[in-house]
Amino acid sequence: MATVEKGRTTQRDNGPPPERGPRGEIAREGSDSYALVAAVSVLLGVLVAVLGLFSIFMWSDAHDAKNAAKRAAAKVAAAPALNGQISMATGLESYAGAAPANADALAAAHSAFPASLSPAPAGPIADANLVLKDVTIQIAPGVKYSAWAWAGGAPGPVIHVRQGQLVKITLTNEGAIPHSVDFHAARVAPNVAFADVMPGKSVSYTFRANDAGVFMYHCGTKPVLMHIANGMYGAIVVDPKPGTLPRADKQYVLVASEWYLSSDGLKAPAQFSMEKAHARIPDWMTFNGYAGQYVKHPLTAEPGDLVRFWVVDAGPSIDTDFHIVGTVLDTAYPFADMNPADALHDVQTVTVPAGGGGVFDVKIDKPGLYPFVSHSFAAVDQGQVGLLNVGNVHGTMSH
Ligand SMILES: [Cu+2]
C-alpha cells in the first residue's frame, strides 16, 4: 500500500504539468462534448443489447439445470433400494445401514469397547504405550473394515492421567507405512514430538499434562484425513486437581467418529473412500468405533448417581451435538474447559467440535433407558447412539 501511494506521488511530481483538467476540456470544446454524448449513447445501446442476450442465456441455463435436476431426481427414485443402501445425488453410493441377516446376533455377541474410565495412575509419571497396527475391525454388525488403527482396534486405548503428571508416550509402529501421534493435550514442538515413525520402529516423548480436560490424540501423518478416518484416534482424560469437580459415581468416555466406506464391508472388508470423506458423507457414525454398540450393551448407572461423560469428537470432519434423551445436562464443560466458573448448567445439547472435547455431568433420578446421541439426527440413523440404563431396568427403546 505504501509503495503504491509512493508511486502515485512520484508520478504526480515527475510527470508533465497537466495543461487542462478533463472537466475543462468538455466545458471549453462544445462540439467534442456532443460527439462524446453520442458515443456514450451508442455504447449504452450496445450494452443493453448484450445484457439482453446474456439474460436469454441465463434463462436457458436455468432451464437446462432444472431439467437436469428433474432427470437426476427421477434416476434416484428409480434406483433399487439394496439392503438399506441408497444412491446419492452426488453419485457416491451409500452403504449406510448395510447388514447381514444375523446382524442382531452379531450385535449381541460383539464385546463393546470399554467406555468406563479406569483410574489414573498415581505418582509423578504416567506411562502410555501405544501400538499402531493394520487390522480388520468391525464397525457395525457384520461390517468389516480394513483399518489403520491400534493393537486393540479403533479408537485407541483411553489414557487417563492427572493434571501435572509427566506423560511419557511410547509409540510403536507395527503398520506397513509411517505413522505418528499428535496429542492435543500437549504443548510441545509438533515437528519434533509428532514426527513420523517408520514401520517397525518406536519413539518416545514426554509432555506435562498441565491442561485438564478430555483431549483427542491421533495420527498426524499426511494425508491426516485418511489416517484419522482409518481409525487412528483416541482420547486422553486429564483429571483436574482434586476438589475441582464434584465426585462422580460413574465415568464414561465416548469417542465420536465417522466412517467412509468403499464398499458395504459385508463379504470383504471395506476400505477408506477419499471421495466420501471429502464430501463429508459418512456411511457410519459411531461412539467408540462401532455403530449402536451401547444400545445392545448399555452403559449403566443407579438412580441419583452423578454420571460424567468425557466426550471427544475424533471426526475427522463432523461435529457431535451431544444430548441425552429424557434429561437435561446438569453441568456441561464446553470444549472441555474444566474451570467450574466457565461451566454451563441445565442445558439440553452441547456441541463437541471435531478435534475437540466436552464433559457432561448428569444426575438421573427416574429408572429407565436414556439414549445418548448426537442430536444432529442423521448421525443417529448412521449409528451414533447408545443407552444409559438407569436402575437396571429391562426392555428396549421403542424409538
Ligand atoms: Cu497414521
Side-chain angles (χ1 to χ4, degrees), residues 318-398:
I318 298 177
D319 298 347
T320 300
D321 298 322
F322 193 73
H323 174 82
I324 302 179
V325 180
T327 193
V328 172
L329 304 171
D330 292 298
T331 307
Y333 301 89
F335 310 115
D337 169 358
M338 303 313 294
N339 183 346
D342 298 336
L344 302 174
H345 299 283
D346 309 324
V347 290
Q348 58 196 300
T349 302
V350 175
T351 297
V352 181
V359 183
F360 308 105
D361 286 1
V362 284
K363 218 176 224 184
I364 298 173
D365 295 326
K366 295 184 178 65
L369 296 170
Y370 293 79
F372 52 88
V373 299
S374 172
H375 212 289
S376 173
F377 242 84
V380 173
D381 286 1
Q382 290 176 301
Q384 210 162 57
V385 53
L387 291 175
L388 179 66
N389 185 338
V390 178
N392 193 25
V393 302
H394 297 288
T396 52
M397 282 299 295
S398 58

Side-chain angles (χ1 to χ4, degrees), residues 186-202:
R187 296 179 189 247
V188 292
N191 58 315
V192 179
F194 306 159
D196 281 357
V197 184
M198 294 301 121
K201 301 285 182 206
S202 285

Side-chain angles (χ1 to χ4, degrees), residues 132 148 177-180 219-221 227-228 232:
L132 291 163
W148 298 343
I177 61 168
H179 296 290
S180 57
C219 177
T221 300
H227 286 250
I228 294 176
M232 294 195 150

